[in-house]
Amino acid sequence: MLNNLIGRIRLPFRKEKELYLSIYNILGFFPKDIKYYKQALMHKSIMRREKGKPINNERLEFLGDAILDAVVGDIVYHHFEGKREGFLTNTRSKIVQRETLNKLANELGITRLILSSGNNGSHNSYLGGNAFEALVGAVYLDQGYGACMRFMQKRILSQLINIDKVAYKEVNFKSKLIEWSQKNRVDIEFRLLEQKKDQGGSPTFCYQVVIEGLEAGIGNGYSKKESQQLASKLTLEKLRRKPQFIDAVFNAKAKRTKMEEMPVENVPDTEPKDDFIITQAPAEKDEPAEKKVSQGTKARRQADDTAKEVSEEVTPSNEEDEFDLSDITANPKTTREDIIAAAEEAAFADEN
């Protein structure tokens, strides 16, 4: 049937016909103007120029990012009636984050269609996720906002992502931060900065994480737990993204203990895993990279199972914790079970 439909389209090359079919399989409809989709699949490493201007998918990626935020925000808003702005923002961010889009690009086969120089295969590459955004930008220019909405509703959030599972997937940032501090024998404090009531009379809390006397993340929330979780998340992000801060932490520790220690840069990640994505048919034999990703995911999940109890502070579900803790050993005499037990005890100490 597809061949009969596409046979009516006058195409100069067989390669063009294959691209039409590939786009149809991904989006569920045929392009009106194929040039947008060609550009969406062209990485900047190709370095093509037309009339002196670079031709790649960066501009479409920018446009697609904005359209995705609007479309997913619209869907989340109507799906979760009565939920607060913070919940809606958090749910949307989980869906449109680069890691999720990268996984979706692999599942849909977008990654295989990208034209690039071939030098972007590092584990930190978001080649597929960027192309996914660019493809959404191409759909918007080719067929409008409604087509983008239908694609996300019928193709992505109906078939590939369990929106309810991703929305209620929580991460215990506080326990992860405490566990990291225990492993590295770093002093940590959750300092209450302010407690007041909002305009509706609901109590609000403002907590700050202090590491070795250095001020870190600040979190506001309607409970101690919520505010401390946000403060912990911001602290983990600061430790990961600002080497000078983690250096300062270990310098302060050295002064306190009169011992010199090297800073540990491998801090727990703050991005949730994408296990809310519904994996489709097994990868074909010509996709070794995707298989490696699947094997790595299995290994991480097995490691996460050992620390399953720690995540129960935030969500009562039996799902595994979303973090992939780095294997940092500061004291060889202390077992992992001892560290987790101490972290869990400290995390639960002042929840009430």
Side-chain angles (χ1 to χ4, degrees), residues 263-328:
V264 178
E265 298 183 10
N266 213 357
V267 179
D269 197 357
T270 57
E271 294 294 348
K273 294 191 293 188
D274 53 15
D275 60 350
F276 48 80
I277 294 178
I278 303 168
T279 304
Q280 297 197 324
E284 298 177 0
K285 292 184 179 180
D286 59 346
E287 300 177 57
E290 189 172 347
K291 287 185 178 180
K292 289 180 181 178
V293 172
S294 298
Q295 292 167 1
T297 302
K298 290 180 180 178
R300 288 196 300 274
R301 288 177 180 172
Q302 290 173 358
D304 286 339
D305 287 339
T306 63
K308 187 175 180 181
E309 308 87 32
V310 180
S311 67
E312 294 177 353
E313 177 186 351
V314 175
T315 177
S317 73
N318 291 325
E319 295 172 1
E320 70 274 17
D321 195 24
E322 296 196 26
F323 275 116
D324 182 15
L325 262 181
S326 306
D327 188 15
I328 305 171

Side-chain angles (χ1 to χ4, degrees), residues 173-182 188 190 342-343 346-347:
F173 300 108
K174 180 181 177 182
S175 289
K176 290 299 178 181
L177 180 60
I178 292 175
E179 184 176 346
W180 177 83
S181 68
Q182 292 279 353
I188 186 170
F190 290 86

